[in-house]
């Protein structure tokens, strides 16, 4: 074998080894990222989860606002990536939590299951449910602060990962003042789940998000206002 042939063979071998190592590395990193995503959402491959839909405020019990439908699509993509399946149920479903991961969308005015989750796991949150027009209608109060809804200008939404016993599947609560803010929370979760998983390392949390200039930008411009985890877990009477 002359030098030219030897160099060609060595080049082919080196290329094959390099390509194989690169493929192995990419596969390893992809699988590790997938495992972390599945652990964060409580969605191992082949598992089942609940998506609790609310009703459109002012509509019939079976009506669903289009932005809430878009929120379902945002979350369904995450569920599919994890290799899990989803069961869609209405907000009147009477089921426990912890056996399956759950995504509960909608504020307490349109989702009775949200009312239960707030009462049981986020007792420090108060939402104004008055039906008469006024500055506090739909406002969220937590940690001694009141966050008011300004139509087409400012909307607030709580994004929470709720956990109970060790090993139980989490509940993701997206409780907004409007359907638009619910979708904004779903989009924020889809975009930032890796950062949230790294920051909280499997623990529960409750974040307050603000949707900016919703009349012009819809759910696209969303800011993190505060981490209200501690305040939301402290009963409102005790906090006062």
């Amino acid at each position: 074998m002359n030098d030219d042939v030897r160099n060609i063979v060595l080049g082919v071998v080196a290329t094959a080894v390099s390509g194989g190592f690169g493929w192995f590395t990419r596969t390893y990193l992809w699988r590790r990222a997938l495992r972390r995503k599945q652990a964060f959402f409580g969605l191992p491959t082949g598992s089942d989860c609940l998506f609790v839909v609310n009703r459109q405020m002012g509509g019939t019990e079976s009506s669903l606002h289009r932005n809430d439908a878009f929120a379902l699509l945002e979350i369904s993509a995450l569920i599919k990536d994890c290799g899990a399946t989803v069961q869609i149920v209405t907000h009147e479903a009477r089921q426990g939590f912890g056996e399956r991961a759950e995504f509960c969308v909608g504020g307490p005015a349109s989702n009775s299951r949200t009312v239960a989750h707030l009462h049981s796991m986020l007792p420090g949150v108060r939402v104004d449910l008055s039906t008469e027009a006024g500055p506090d209608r739909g406002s969220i109060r937590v940690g001694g602060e009141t966050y008011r809804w300004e139509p087409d200008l400012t909307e607030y939404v709580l994004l929470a990962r709720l956990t109970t016993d060790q090993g139980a599947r989490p509940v993701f609560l997206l409780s907004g003042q409007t359907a638009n803010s619910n979708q904004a929370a779903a989009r924020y979760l889809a975009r930032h789940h890796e950062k949230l998983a790294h920051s909280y390392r499997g623990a529960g949390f409750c974040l307050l998000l603000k949707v900016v200039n919703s009349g012009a930008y819809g759910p696209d411009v969303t800011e993190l206002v505060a981490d209200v985890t501690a305040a939301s877990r402290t009963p409102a009477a005790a906090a006062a």
Side-chain angles (χ1 to χ4, degrees), residues 55 57-58 109 128-134 136-138 149:
R55 63 175 177 84
M57 288 185 290
D128 190 298
L129 301 178
S130 59
T131 57
E132 298 181 0
D136 286 333
R137 181 184 179 187
W149 168 39

Side-chain angles (χ1 to χ4, degrees), residues 2-221:
N2 59 39
D3 291 341
D4 292 337
V5 174
R6 184 184 299 109
N7 290 336
I8 292 174
V9 171
L10 292 176
V12 171
V13 172
T15 300
V17 171
S18 177
F21 180 76
W23 174 85
F24 175 81
T25 301
R26 289 192 299 271
T27 302
Y28 170 77
L29 294 175
W30 175 80
R31 288 180 176 174
R32 185 175 68 171
L34 176 60
R35 287 194 297 269
R36 288 177 175 176
K37 179 187 289 188
Q38 290 174 325
F40 177 72
F41 288 113
L43 295 172
T45 302
S47 62
D48 186 28
C49 70
L50 292 179
F51 188 98
V52 184
V53 297
N54 59 337
R55 63 175 177 84
Q56 181 174 343
M57 288 185 290
T60 65
E61 284 297 316
S62 60
S63 64
L64 181 66
H65 195 283
R66 67 172 186 171
N67 287 94
D68 289 324
F70 291 151
L72 170 59
L73 294 176
E74 299 266 5
I75 294 172
S76 294
L78 296 174
I79 297 171
K80 182 179 179 181
D81 287 345
C82 291
T85 58
V86 60
Q87 177 185 356
I88 301 175
V89 298
T90 67
H91 65 102
E92 296 176 334
R94 295 183 178 180
Q95 301 187 40
F97 54 85
E99 293 184 2
R100 291 183 289 181
E102 176 183 331
F103 298 86
C104 185
V105 175
S110 63
N111 191 324
S112 58
R113 193 162 173 86
T114 295
V115 176
H117 289 326
L118 291 177
H119 177 77
S120 300
M121 293 180 278
L122 298 176
V125 175
R126 289 291 181 269
V127 179
D128 190 298
L129 301 178
S130 59
T131 57
E132 298 181 0
D136 286 333
R137 181 184 179 187
S139 63
I140 298 173
R141 183 171 179 81
V142 60
E145 299 290 337
T146 301
Y147 301 92
R148 295 179 175 86
W149 168 39
E150 299 177 72
D152 294 330
L153 291 177
T154 303
E155 301 170 11
Y156 292 96
V157 56
L158 291 171
L159 172 60
R161 183 181 190 270
L162 309 175
T163 57
T164 52
D165 300 329
Q166 185 71 23
R169 303 284 172 82
V171 173
F172 287 88
L173 180 64
L174 294 75
S175 175
Q177 295 171 325
T178 64
N180 181 74
S181 59
N182 294 336
Q183 184 188 356
R187 185 165 296 180
Y188 186 93
L189 180 63
R191 290 177 176 174
H192 299 282
H193 65 85
E194 291 182 358
K195 181 179 179 181
L196 294 173
H198 178 75
S199 298
Y200 296 97
R201 299 187 181 280
F205 58 80
C206 183
L207 307 178
L208 182 71
L209 308 176
K210 179 172 70 173
V211 186
V212 180
N213 201 355
S214 57
Y217 304 133
D220 289 338
V221 183

